[in-house]
Amino acid sequence: MKELIKKLVEAYGPSGFEDHMRQLIRPEIEPLADELSVDAMGNLIALKKGDGRGLKVMVAAHMDEIGLMVSHITKEGFLRFTNIGGVFPHTLMGGRVQFANGTIGVVYSERLPDWSKIHPLDKHYIDVGASSPEDCPVEVGDAAGFVQQLLVQGSRYTAKSMDDRIGCVVAIEAFKQLASTPHDVYFVFSVQEEVGTRGAQVAANRINPDVGIAVDITPAGDVPESQFMPIALGKGPAIKVKDTGMIAHAGLVRLMKQRASEATIPYQLEVLERGSTDARAMQLANAGNVAGCISIPCRFAHSPSETVDNGDVEGAIKLLVELLSQPIEL
Ligand code: CO
Ligand code: ZN
């Protein structure tokens, strides 16, 4: 699993530019799938057929990551940019980003008159070593993501785009471990989550699932002076109860807790006060669906060093397999 994590978290794939991610994930799931398709937006959808006695279940993990998009190039060859998803200025200064063609740039900001205050994104720029728009290796509309190698320390994994490549890993591993299921399970590796759960929305409209389960990260509050959130690394996957975009289906939350207890998987309960996931899109698709989310606690979300714990990842895989392999009565 470590090799798979490394492969996915180091790969390029800002929202709208998920082609490479899809190429990496496809061979992992193709041998297991009864049907495999890619829709117009780029969602990768793999079906594992049930025995006909279960429900239609959609599992969603997003392939995309936050990033930067070139908005214009100055006459000196510096790139001004706009954000793709929730990019925070304080995570950028001095960091490196990579474009689809391999070009790497350094992000910096204009002079700070007051070092206690950071500039907004439009006062930042990317330096790719160009001296004019003509010799610049990228153009307006090109997108970049952070560059970072996977760091493994004890049970901790640190990398860019843990959000949500680690969710993709959980979905792939659960798919591999799922020997049999009563349900028709659609594993969806979705696009454009970070700009508003757009991929999952169209996939859910097409699949029209009875039950939708997202697998995503949630911020951990176990760091100094963090916003209060009783989610900690290493205490098990979190079962989402509420975030700013959805209230999870109470029956599904109850079932998740029950399956976790039966299989002695430690778990935490999540009430997130900022952000949402593909579960919202699945809940609101068509005439409405049962939806919930398994979250992997993550420190430093939306920074180049998102950190998760292997025990929580293993727990999330186990919980997802328990849910999918048994009847779902809500
Ligand atoms: Co995110
Ligand atoms: Zn996410």
Side-chain angles (χ1 to χ4, degrees):
M1 187 170 75
K2 203 171 112 187
E3 288 72 48
L4 180 62
I5 293 174
K6 185 171 171 65
K7 191 160 68 173
L8 298 193
V9 298
E10 291 182 356
Y12 170 88
S15 311
F17 300 83
E18 299 92 351
D19 314 43
H20 180 55
M21 285 308 304
R22 202 166 42 245
Q23 282 167 16
L24 292 178
I25 293 174
R26 190 176 180 133
E28 298 287 333
I29 55 170
E30 196 147 31
L32 309 162
D34 293 308
E35 283 170 26
L36 192 93
S37 64
V38 178
D39 69 14
M41 282 189 75
N43 291 304
L44 176 62
I45 304 171
L47 167 63
K48 182 175 175 70
K49 281 211 173 99
D51 62 11
R53 285 179 297 180
L55 303 176
K56 210 194 278 185
V57 182
M58 173 172 163
V59 175
H62 66 93
M63 296 188 285
D64 63 309
E65 63 184 319
I66 56 168
L68 310 176
M69 182 182 278
V70 180
S71 56
H72 68 280
I73 303 172
T74 70
K75 60 181 192 310
E76 297 86 8
F78 294 101
L79 317 176
R80 295 289 192 171
F81 58 85
T82 187
N83 60 304
I84 299 173
V87 176
F88 309 122
H90 62 268
T91 62
L92 294 178
M93 195 84 140
R96 294 173 201 187
V97 293
Q98 184 168 30
F99 290 86
N101 67 4
T103 298
I104 290 179
V106 176
V107 189
Y108 216 75
S109 87
E110 296 173 14
R111 188 178 64 86
L112 290 167
D114 176 353
W115 279 95
S116 68
K117 292 196 185 74
I118 198 116
H119 277 314
L121 288 181
D122 62 0
K123 290 198 177 294
H124 287 68
Y125 54 84
I126 305 170
D127 180 3
V128 289
S131 54
S132 73
E134 289 69 41
D135 74 349
C136 187
V138 295
E139 61 181 4
V140 168
D142 283 349
F146 292 126
V147 255
Q148 276 289 352
Q149 285 190 325
L150 173 68
L151 169 70
V152 183
Q153 294 194 114
S155 65
R156 300 277 164 85
Y157 295 118
T158 298
K160 62 118 189 159
S161 73
M162 273 306 169
D163 177 12
D164 185 27
R165 307 288 166 69
I166 201 67
C168 294
V169 170
V170 168
I172 292 166
E173 291 294 326
F175 199 169
K176 287 178 180 171
Q177 290 177 24
L178 191 62
S180 70
T181 171
H183 313 294
D184 284 344
V185 186
Y186 292 81
F187 289 89
V188 176
F189 299 87
S190 64
V191 297
Q192 299 192 30
E193 190 272 352
E194 295 290 357
V195 289
T197 64
R198 296 174 191 169
Q201 185 182 330
V202 300
N205 279 333
R206 168 178 286 200
I207 293 163
N208 197 18
D210 299 305
V211 176
I213 301 170
V215 185
D216 210 330
I217 61 107
T218 193
D222 58 346
V223 287
E225 299 293 322
S226 77
Q227 172 196 7
F228 181 73
M229 199 175 165
I231 297 277
L233 254 54
K235 292 191 174 169
I239 296 170
K240 189 188 291 290
V241 180
K242 179 188 184 296
D243 62 27
T244 43
M246 74 159 336
I247 294 167
H249 185 275
L252 186 55
V253 170
R254 212 177 303 126
L255 185 71
M256 285 182 179
K257 291 196 235 176
Q258 187 192 327
R259 293 284 181 257
S261 298
E262 288 163 357
T264 61
I265 304 163
Y267 67 90
Q268 314 179 63
L269 293 170
E270 176 198 355
V271 177
L272 174 63
E273 293 184 56
R274 199 161 113 180
S276 196
T277 69
D278 280 343
R280 170 187 164 83
M282 292 189 280
Q283 184 175 55
L284 299 181
N286 295 318
N289 306 293
V290 169
C293 180
I294 298 172
S295 300
I296 296 115
C298 179
R299 288 181 183 170
F300 325 125
H302 286 207
S303 86
S305 295
E306 296 177 325
T307 300
V308 301
D309 188 90
N310 183 56
D312 301 336
V313 178
E314 298 280 4
I317 297 165
K318 210 168 157 198
L319 178 55
L320 188 54
V321 171
E322 292 292 330
L323 281 164
L324 296 175
S325 60
Q326 298 180 57
I328 296 178
E329 278 148 22
L330 301 163

